[in-house]
Every structure is written in structure tokens, then in C-alpha cells.
Amino acid sequence: MRVNRILLSSSLVVVALVLQVSVLARLHLPGAVPDLLLLTVLGLALVYGHVGGALVGFGAGLLADLAPPADHAAGRYALVLCVIGYLAGLVKPDNGRLKSATGPMVVVAAAAIGSTLLYAGVGALVGDTAARHVGLGSLLFTAALYDLLLAPFVVPGIMALARRAENDPLADTNSAAKSPNISTGWLSSGTGLRIGGQRGGFKVKAARARVARAGRIKGVKRL
């Protein structure tokens, strides 16, 4: 990952974790807790792709595992967010911009349900049965509901910040200098002429035509 990605991702993850622990966790809402950290990982994964999403998810989950008042084994939430970040990055739009809000909302709902199921499944493997006592059905419903309500205020802003950090003026200049002109390539493919590459050739041909024309005029005068 680039330096700007690491700095932005680290800052957003730390802010999301602090808000979730100090504000959202103290609201004492019925069922699950709104997962601001999950929404942050989703917003970054939709811009960075599956590899970046997996790395951000693992780092965010590991930080959540170590931050107080964590009461579960370290690495459990890191595994969950790593998988969720990877899967969310697979549906990244080609140009990094979303055409509608339907796709991201479906991703948020699927991620909320999937992360809850995966977290409960990993907990069952290590002997944590807390989800059974609370009720897995209510956890799934409230997790999806809270995250869907919070997503419109979080995910678009995260994606906008990530896209702005990706806009490197030097990189854009270099890529524009190296990449061919789309209109030139389209004209070349349609007409068979290399417009940009044969400007010098056109000048030489024009000069030769002028010389030949001058020679013909001199020949006529001599006659």
C-alpha cells in the first residue's frame, strides 16, 4: 500500500474505533452495537480493492481486538474484518465511483450479517457461546438495521476521502504523458492512419509535393 493510503486508513480506523468505543457502545441500544469500524473498512475497500480492503480490515480488526474493553481472543475480529474487507473489495467499481446507492447498501447489509455470523462462528470454535444467550436472530437483525441507518453518513465520506488521497498530481501527469490519446487511437483504428505519430511524415510529404509542383512549373516554362 502507498504511504498516503496507510496514513489515511490508519487515521480513519483510529477515529472510527474511538467513536465506537466511547460513543456508540455507550448508547445501550437493544441487540447489536452499530459497527462504525466495519463501515470504515467497507468504504476503504470499495476504493482500494480486495487486497487493500483485506489489509485495512486486518489492521482495523487487530486494533479492535487489542483496544479495551475487548473481552475476546486477539485476532478474532481481525480475521472477520480481513475476510469482509477482501470480499467487499471484489465489488469495487472500475472507476472508483458508484452510480447508485443500491449497491453499497446491499454490500453494507451483507457485510453486517456476514461479519456477525463469522464472528459468532469463530467464537463457537474457541468456546465463546455469548451469541446463543443474546439470540443470534436479534443480533443479525439489529446489526443490519443499525449499519444501514449509519452507512449513508459514513461510507460516502470515507470513499470521497480515499479517492481524494488517490489523486496524485505527479502520478496523473506521468500517466497522462505515457497513455495514448483515446481519440487518436479511435481515429487510427477507423482510418488506418496514425494521426499523432505521423505529423512529421505529413510535413515531409507536403514539402515533397511542393518541390514536385515547382519542378513541373519550371518544365512548362522551359517548353
Side-chain angles (χ1 to χ4, degrees):
M1 296 180 69
R2 297 188 218 170
V3 176
N4 54 352
R5 285 189 178 186
I6 296 175
L7 293 176
L8 178 64
S9 302
S10 302
S11 303
L12 292 176
V13 165
V14 170
V15 172
L17 182 61
V18 170
L19 290 176
Q20 182 166 333
V21 173
S22 61
V23 178
L24 298 178
R26 297 185 179 184
L27 295 178
H28 301 293
L29 297 174
V33 177
D35 201 338
L36 184 60
L37 196 61
L38 173 65
L39 297 178
T40 302
V41 172
L42 291 178
L44 294 174
L46 290 174
V47 178
Y48 294 158
H50 59 283
V51 177
L55 293 175
V56 172
F58 179 80
L62 186 61
L63 186 61
D65 288 332
L66 300 177
D71 56 352
H72 54 269
R76 181 175 169 185
Y77 202 47
L79 174 62
V80 172
L81 287 187
C82 179
V83 174
I84 295 298
Y86 179 84
L87 295 178
L90 293 177
V91 298
K92 166 194 171 184
D94 295 334
N95 58 355
R97 296 182 179 273
L98 300 170
K99 297 181 180 180
S100 66
T102 304
M105 297 302 282
V106 172
V107 172
V108 169
I113 296 174
S115 61
T116 304
L117 289 174
L118 186 57
Y119 187 82
V122 175
L125 293 177
V126 298
D128 185 3
T129 59
R132 296 180 183 178
H133 301 290
V134 177
L136 185 58
S138 62
L139 282 178
L140 293 176
F141 176 76
T142 53
L145 178 62
Y146 296 154
D147 290 348
L148 284 175
L149 293 176
L150 193 60
F153 304 99
V154 177
V155 176
I158 297 294
M159 295 183 65
L161 290 175
R163 285 197 302 265
R164 181 172 297 180
E166 288 291 287
N167 293 332
D168 187 359
L170 295 179
D172 292 342
T173 302
N174 294 333
S175 61
K178 293 180 181 179
S179 61
N181 191 331
I182 297 176
S183 60
T184 300
W186 181 77
L187 289 173
S188 301
S189 62
T191 61
L193 299 176
R194 290 179 296 174
I195 305 300
Q198 291 188 349
R199 292 178 180 175
F202 289 154
K203 293 180 179 179
V204 173
K205 290 181 181 180
R208 290 178 179 176
R210 287 195 296 270
V211 172
R213 189 180 304 162
R216 287 196 298 271
I217 292 174
K218 290 182 179 179
V220 172
K221 289 181 178 181
R222 289 176 182 176
L223 292 175

